[in-house]
Structures are given as C-alpha cells and as structure tokens.
Amino acid sequence: MKLATIKDGTRDGQLAVVSRDLKTAQLADGIAPTLQRALDDWSFIAPQLQQVYQDLNQGGARRSFAFDAAHCMAPLPRAFQWADGSAYVNHVELVRKARGAEMPASFWEEPLMYQGGSDDFQGAQDPIDVFHEEWGIDFEAEVAVITDDVPMGATPDQAFQQIRLLMLVNDVSLRNLIPDELAKGFGFLQAKPASSCSPVAVTPDELDEAWKGGKVHLPLRSSWNGKLVGQPQAGVDMVFNFPRLIAHLAKSRNVRAGSIIGSGTVSNKDAAKGYSCIAEQRCLEMIAGGAPLTPFMAFGDTIRIEMLDGAGKSVFGAIEQTVRRAEARKLA
C-alpha cells in the first residue's frame, strides 16, 4: 500500500491512497483524515485503506484523480518524533578519518542517533530554503521508517513488528554550522533545517523481496543538478538495521505511533557507488589529497533522490528540490 498527504491549506493535509504505479490516487477522507489518524488506530484503519488501494490498482476506484507529487506534503508533515541514526558506519568512519580522528570501537557496537526537528517536514518538491550559501548546504539521502507504538525496552524483534511504513528522506545539513554546534556538546540544532520526504510512504510488503532483515535492498539514487552522483545499495554496509535503531531509541522510553526513524546517510565502502551527501565526497578528497575539491550546494542547485525497484519503477516517487535563498517571513 502507498500513502500520501495532499496539500489542502491545512497543517496536516489530507490522507490519500496512491496506486502502485504512482499515477492515480483517492482521498481517504471517509476512512481517516490524516496519516497520523490512521497510525493511531492502524489495525482497524489499515484494512480499509488496503481495500481502496486494491480498487485503485484494479481501476475500480470511483473517486480517483491523477496523482501529482507537486501537490504532496510530507507523508507526516509534522511528526511526534524524528530520530536520525547513523546506521552506515562507513560514513562516520570517513568523516572522522578526514579530520584525523580515531574511530571508537563502540561505534560498531551501538548506533549513533540524534533527535531532529519533527514539526516541519517538507514535501518532495518544496524548495530548500536557506539564508546563506556560506552555511555549507548539503543534501543527505536516507531511508526512514514510520512506527506504530513501540514499548520502552522493546527488543529488535519486537521493534520489527511495529514498523508500519517506509519512505525516503533528504536530511538537509548546513555543514559549516556543525563544528561550532558539536563543540558545545549538545548536538545538532541550527545545522539541521527542515528535512524533506518522498511523495509517498509505503508498507513493507510493497518492497517484496527487497525488504529483508530489516533493511531495504535496493540502490538509492542521488542526482545533483541532473548528474547522477550516487547509487549505493541501501542493504549493503548497513551495520544497524531498522529494528536495531528502533530498539536503541526505545531503550529508556516509549516510542509512540507516528515516530520517524532515519537510517542516516546511505553509504557503501565501495566508493564506485558514489555518494549520498557532498560531505562524504569531500572527505574522500581530503583523505586522498589533503583538501576538499567539491563545493557544497548553491542557490539554484537541484537535487533528486529516488529508489527504483528491480523493474526500474519508482517505489516512493522522487524527492526533487531546488535550493532557494530564504527571506525572513512570518508564518502563515
């Protein structure tokens, strides 16, 4: 099943069911007004959404309309929680190696994770608004899961059973703000502006054999200004799978329905697979030659993030964004 949130002028939008080929959709207003409402009572609501999905795919939906990702908000425009892991330890290792720092052995045994802003997720085609290019604008292509309730102290096996949906995330980073923030010892804040999400979130069964072992075994493609710069395999070199990440989050607290957990930048040890964030490419350049050569993003740059299945069809739809100079403004 594929689900999206359609822009309607409200904060949370309208929940819609989207066909497998991403061509048609139908509002789920008679079932659940928002995705959060569906997650709050998933066992009762999901079968009703599944019936609509079946009708859409068979051409029998009565109120279907052409699906347009440009009209989508994030599947969860404001979530109860956004916890981003760093499951691809190769990425962390490269970053530390580039600045001459040793890799603690514990990083291979327990996930790194931070809590980001969950109150303002952006739609797949919303612009990346930033005040200054000098802040070091970077994209980060990730996979994320959306959970049902997960009790405190849950095991990875228990956490696995509570994964309801998957989607893609562009976890935008302002790289030049990061060092000063980390030096304060409290982690990211201003260096992590609003993240963006794929047009649709999908149930795990949509991935078929590609969803195995709590990982997505498909390449994640990133195209910067129209040029493919990365297509690492998301199921390769993922040291901590999603059940491990969720269990880590739930170690000392409950995780409530509608929580989003990110994989961190998808990264393979095989550098020929390219990169899912500019920082990683710059680290490789520093390790090889002592200085980074690749610039960060500039105003007007575009980024496209997408995952294709074995038949070459888009699973989640594409994140397609343009970096734009932000202007100070009042919230609507």
Side-chain angles (χ1 to χ4, degrees):
M1 180 166 56
K2 299 190 177 187
L3 302 174
T5 294
I6 306 300
K7 295 178 179 178
D8 67 351
T10 67
R11 294 178 185 270
D12 299 306
Q14 285 188 286
L15 179 62
V17 183
V18 183
S19 62
R20 182 172 287 116
D21 61 10
L22 302 177
K23 292 183 178 180
T24 59
Q26 178 170 311
L27 294 179
D29 48 346
I31 302 172
T34 66
L35 180 54
Q36 183 59 53
R37 178 66 187 87
L39 289 163
D40 286 340
D41 196 5
W42 187 257
S43 61
F44 176 70
I45 292 175
Q48 300 176 64
L49 297 174
Q50 182 66 39
Q51 183 59 57
V52 175
Y53 184 60
Q54 182 177 327
D55 292 343
L56 273 172
N57 291 327
Q58 295 176 350
R62 295 181 179 180
R63 298 187 294 122
S64 65
F65 56 90
F67 179 67
D68 185 350
H71 296 156
C72 289
M73 304 173 77
L76 277 176
R78 46 179 181 168
F80 283 115
Q81 181 164 215
W82 161 231
D84 197 17
S86 195
Y88 299 87
V89 183
N90 176 66
H91 171 75
V92 182
E93 189 172 36
L94 285 174
V95 171
R96 295 183 69 87
K97 186 175 181 181
R99 67 171 190 258
E102 291 187 6
M103 181 78 164
S106 63
F107 283 20
W108 295 96
E109 300 162 1
E110 188 174 59
L112 293 174
M113 185 173 285
Y114 77 92
Q115 263 189 320
S118 63
D119 58 330
D120 189 28
F121 279 104
Q122 300 296 294
Q125 295 189 21
D126 292 343
I128 300 171
D129 284 335
V130 180
F131 282 121
H132 306 290
E133 287 182 347
E134 293 77 14
W135 284 351
I137 308 163
D138 199 357
F139 64 89
E140 284 193 59
E142 305 187 12
V143 182
V145 297
I146 302 174
T147 73
D148 204 328
D149 289 329
V150 181
M152 181 173 64
T155 66
D157 285 344
Q158 291 170 331
F160 181 81
Q161 300 301 319
Q162 300 307 102
I163 295 173
R164 295 291 173 253
L165 297 161
L166 296 100
M167 63 182 181
L168 304 182
V169 171
N170 179 15
D171 178 39
V172 178
S173 292
L174 303 177
R175 297 295 181 184
N176 294 336
L177 299 185
I178 289 177
D180 287 346
E181 287 202 322
L182 293 185
K184 295 176 181 178
F186 256 38
F188 302 120
L189 182 66
Q190 292 161 344
K192 290 290 186 178
S195 296
S196 308
C197 303
S198 53
V200 303
V202 310
T203 49
D205 61 290
E206 285 295 314
L207 295 164
D208 199 21
E209 293 298 316
W211 176 242
K212 183 169 55 179
K215 305 176 183 180
V216 178
H217 295 266
L218 290 171
L220 182 58
R221 299 168 58 88
S222 297
S223 298
W224 179 14
N225 290 332
K227 178 184 177 182
L228 180 66
V229 295
Q231 50 183 343
Q233 286 284 342
V236 174
D237 299 322
M238 189 181 191
V239 177
F240 305 105
N241 65 9
F242 281 111
R244 282 286 306 277
L245 293 175
I246 298 167
H248 178 75
L249 178 61
K251 179 177 180 178
S252 61
R253 54 181 165 171
N254 295 317
V255 177
R256 293 305 187 186
S259 292
I260 303 172
I261 294 87
S263 66
T265 304
V266 176
S267 175
N268 287 171
K269 292 180 180 180
D270 181 4
K273 297 296 184 182
Y275 54 90
S276 297
C277 71
I278 301 169
E280 187 165 307
Q281 174 66 10
R282 287 168 60 93
C283 286
L284 289 170
E285 292 166 350
M286 289 178 67
I287 293 167
L293 302 175
T294 304
F296 289 118
M297 300 181 82
F299 296 135
D301 279 8
T302 61
I303 179 64
R304 179 185 175 97
I305 299 169
E306 190 171 24
M307 183 170 274
L308 306 180
D309 64 17
K313 297 179 180 179
S314 186
V315 179
F316 305 93
I319 295 174
E320 297 183 89
Q321 296 183 278
T322 299
V323 180
R324 186 175 70 175
R325 185 189 300 274
E327 296 180 1
R329 60 187 183 276
K330 296 181 179 179
L331 290 175

